[in-house]
Amino acid sequence: MQTSLFLQPGNIDQCQLHALGGAEIHEFPQAFPESEASTLLSGLLRDIPWRQEALHIAGKRINVPRLQCWMGDRSSLYGYSGMRLLPIPWHTTVLTIRQRVQALAGIEFNSVLLNYYRDGKDSVAWHADNEPELGTDPTIASVSFGAERYFQLKPKQRGTANNYRLLLRHGSVLVMGKGLQSQWLHQLPKVEGLDLPRINLTFRQIL
Ligand SMILES: O=C(O)CCC(=O)C(=O)O
Ligand SMILES: [Mn+2]
């Protein structure tokens, strides 16, 4: 039977569990094999209409240190840090990626935020993805292509657990489960001297 290929929450041979205090991450280090991941990376670099978004702080426009694209069903309007992002329609390559990710996560997603880190100077600062439109404690699936970078995590309440980090491999998927957005913060720090691009897709369910 087809569904038996996908034991929940994914292909168990390939799944590594990271148990953090009060939260779990399921990592699929090779959800997309090397050559497929490389084809997907170059397709996304070429085809996605990457945009420079900006924050407006104290009357100043500050560019976020990465390029982005918000994609999804028409209803999935999303905003954070004062930004409103209108989704563009699904790109076929991204739909192919979503299919694999949904099978691993065992749930459906109606939107995705794509981030393009052009080199080690691009980054994302400490945050949790806990905007009201994601509901309470959402499951978010994160796909990485390109340069390997560290994903750092720290508990929101200091002293309740040790900080944690994991390497985001080319073609890997992280399924960030319950507790991760409510109890933890995450970031992708800058890397000195890194001259290679990375693309990340975080699949979400906007309610
Ligand atoms: O690039 C990553 O791995 C993380 C991106 C992220 O946390 C986000 O877009 O909310
Ligand atoms: Mn995030």
Side-chain angles (χ1 to χ4, degrees), residues 76-98:
S76 55
L77 187 68
Y78 187 61
Y80 66 95
S81 302
M83 277 192 276
R84 300 305 299 170
L85 299 180
L86 261 178
I88 64 164
W90 290 101
H91 188 281
T92 49
T93 306
V94 178
L95 282 176
T96 308
I97 297 167
R98 180 176 74 160

Side-chain angles (χ1 to χ4, degrees), residues 106-131:
I107 57 171
E108 297 194 339
F109 299 103
N110 62 8
S111 52
V112 61
L113 178 63
L114 295 101
N115 283 310
Y116 169 21
Y117 305 89
R118 291 155 288 188
D119 55 32
K121 292 194 280 298
D122 279 350
S123 61
V124 64
W126 288 114
H127 70 282
D129 297 293
N130 55 3
E131 290 71 24

Side-chain angles (χ1 to χ4, degrees), residues 158-173:
R158 278 176 61 145
T160 52
N162 291 330
N163 289 8
Y164 198 82
R165 71 169 191 178
L166 54 91
L167 191 61
L168 298 167
R169 296 191 166 81
H170 180 45
S172 70
V173 172

Side-chain angles (χ1 to χ4, degrees), residues 124 127-129 140 151 176 181 186 202 204:
V124 64
H127 70 282
D129 297 293
I140 294 179
F151 190 58
M176 300 186 269
Q181 308 303 330
H186 54 269
T202 43
R204 300 145 189 256

